[in-house]
Amino acid sequence: DDFARSKMHSDIFSILTNQYCWDSCLRLRATGGCKMVRPHTNCTLRSGDLVSFPVIAREDAIAFELTATEQGITTQTIIFQLAMVYTNNEGNRMIRVFTIETPVSKDVRTICSSVDEATLTTMMCRRAGTTLLQLGPVQAVESIRKEIQAMVNQKALNFSSIYHLMHAMLSNESFRSRHPFGVDGRMSQIIMLRAISITNLLLYLYPRMFSVDTEAILPLTSSSFGQGTIFLFHTVDKIYIWVSAAADKNFLINGFGCQSLEDLPTAFPPGPPASPNSNSEEYLKLQKLISNCYELSGKYLPVEVIGQGSPREAIFSEIIVDDSTVCGSNLTSWTQSMRLSAQ
């Protein structure tokens, strides 16, 4: 269909115009007391700790799982050095060396206070992806549940978004017992998850929902539709704009260049015959939100416009993830059960 062709065109354009590191190798070294367990990414290991890649895209990320050695960590800081050799798009052989020093602590409260929830979610998703690849979806979901419970039991952790992200992960089609696109679809998502960046993972698990009327960011639940008439959804690979039948006519005219919902264009900016007022407040408000999405994603994203009553509305059943009961209950009930189990 037209939407599939549009996505294929966007994907091909992104692939052909991207920046890559070809025939790349990297090695992570650390001062005494710390060693690498495994890298979580799409790679091969050579001679123990040399990580090799045929190609790395600009937006790919690599996660290293570390542990203490038998001797333990005796210093107040650990120094990590990452050396990377690769060939760029121009055919030049390059080397980059990064040196990072990080403090060491045995105090649980100090460690918990410094936890970054986005990074923690990424690490948990990488570990679950590895389990999914090796043992299957049932064991992967079980590993996620055990790690969530272990974190919840740490009273010193004060989370603000981890419950939303973990519920979204458990509800994601990647970890379902039956994948809607079969074995090939699941494998494609595993490959993606093993190299995805922190920002893109958050957008994949929990897209951003804006009320265009107020520009407020909203939770991904059906009750949020009561806070406006036009909404924008920022996902990992696309932007969706949903327009309610109750949308103001002036917004339709100035923002989308149409008189009614029946004439609503399917893309933004709309092409002929739609003729929006590009200097109007409505148009500029949409453009501002879309530019914000481009900036966060670091790339162009196609924009699809969907009117109320369109068959394309079905896409939102996956996006409104807080209401999902795939993992057994919606977000509210699941969060309550997690907190009760930790008491």
Side-chain angles (χ1 to χ4, degrees):
D1 57 30
D2 290 341
F3 297 104
R5 283 192 291 271
S6 175
K7 185 179 187 307
M8 184 178 69
H9 180 273
S10 176
D11 289 346
I12 292 174
F13 176 82
S14 297
I15 290 170
L16 294 180
T17 59
N18 207 349
Q19 295 292 317
Y20 296 99
C21 299
W22 302 92
D23 188 23
S24 177
C25 292
L26 60 86
R27 177 176 276 125
L28 179 69
R29 294 184 175 93
T31 49
C34 183
K35 65 178 182 180
M36 180 179 71
V37 177
R38 67 174 66 85
H40 291 278
T41 186
N42 300 311
C43 67
T44 56
L45 284 176
R46 298 179 181 174
S47 62
D49 62 348
L50 183 64
V51 186
S52 176
F53 303 85
V55 61
I56 307 175
R58 176 178 54 186
E59 66 275 9
D60 287 351
I62 305 162
F64 291 95
E65 187 175 343
L66 308 172
T67 189
T69 61
E70 293 180 0
Q71 293 75 23
I73 302 171
T74 58
T75 56
Q76 296 299 309
T77 61
I78 297 179
I79 297 176
F80 295 98
Q81 187 175 79
L82 181 72
M84 179 176 178
V85 180
Y86 65 95
T87 301
N88 62 18
N89 280 9
E90 288 71 41
N92 300 316
R93 198 64 176 162
M94 311 290 289
I95 184 169
R96 293 287 184 267
V97 179
F98 307 89
T99 304
I100 304 166
E101 185 177 29
T102 185
V104 175
S105 176
K106 294 182 180 179
D107 182 70
V108 174
R109 291 188 177 276
T110 300
I111 296 171
C112 289
S113 66
S114 66
V115 169
D116 180 85
E117 294 181 48
T119 304
L120 179 60
T121 300
T122 302
M123 196 67 222
M124 289 181 64
C125 190
R126 293 293 182 92
R127 285 164 58 93
T130 299
T131 304
L132 177 62
L133 183 63
Q134 295 175 342
L135 302 175
V138 175
Q139 291 85 347
V141 168
E142 185 62 26
S143 70
I144 296 172
R145 292 185 186 276
K146 287 181 178 179
E147 292 196 342
I148 295 169
Q149 193 63 62
M151 287 190 300
V152 171
N153 291 340
Q154 292 289 337
K155 302 297 193 296
L157 285 170
N158 185 21
F159 294 127
S160 61
S161 59
I162 199 74
Y163 291 108
H164 291 75
L165 294 169
M166 292 299 101
H167 178 264
M169 190 187 301
L170 289 170
S171 303
N172 191 271
E173 63 184 15
S174 301
F175 297 99
R176 295 176 191 172
S177 57
R178 294 181 65 86
H179 195 281
F181 298 106
V183 175
D184 290 342
R186 193 191 301 279
M187 183 56 69
S188 174
Q189 288 182 322
I190 290 174
I191 292 171
M192 181 267 291
L193 289 174
R194 285 170 60 83
I196 197 169
S197 67
I198 293 177
T199 298
N200 282 341
L201 177 64
L202 297 182
L203 290 171
Y204 174 70
L205 294 177
Y206 203 89
R208 296 197 298 168
M209 177 181 182
F210 293 90
S211 168
V212 177
D213 305 71
T214 63
E215 299 185 32
I217 299 181
L218 305 171
L220 295 175
T221 177
S222 55
S223 61
S224 294
F225 286 104
Q227 301 188 42
T229 59
I230 301 176
F231 299 89
L232 182 145
F233 297 86
H234 177 197
T235 73
V236 66
D237 57 1
K238 198 169 188 177
I239 297 170
Y240 298 94
I241 299 175
W242 183 80
V243 183
S244 163
D248 184 76
K249 187 174 181 179
N250 287 330
F251 204 117
L252 295 179
I253 294 172
N254 294 322
F256 298 103
C258 63
Q259 296 286 333
S260 66
L261 208 62
E262 289 73 22
D263 300 323
L264 194 69
T266 58
F268 187 92
S275 55
N277 182 356
S278 58
N279 294 317
S280 66
E281 178 184 351
E282 295 85 355
Y283 186 94
L284 293 176
K285 183 179 286 188
L286 286 170
Q287 193 63 58
K288 177 184 176 182
L289 289 174
I290 292 171
S291 296
N292 175 275
C293 297
Y294 289 166
E295 183 176 354
L296 181 64
S297 292
K299 61 182 180 181
Y300 164 79
L301 296 172
V303 183
E304 181 181 348
V305 182
I306 300 173
Q308 185 174 359
S310 166
R312 290 289 296 169
E313 281 184 313
I315 192 71
F316 299 118
S317 64
E318 290 289 341
I319 294 177
I320 305 301
V321 70
D322 288 353
D323 293 343
S324 174
T325 57
V326 169
C327 67
S329 57
N330 62 21
L331 173 66
T332 302
S333 300
W334 182 81
T335 302
Q336 289 174 348
S337 66
M338 286 290 103
R339 288 172 172 165
L340 285 173
S341 64
Q343 293 179 357

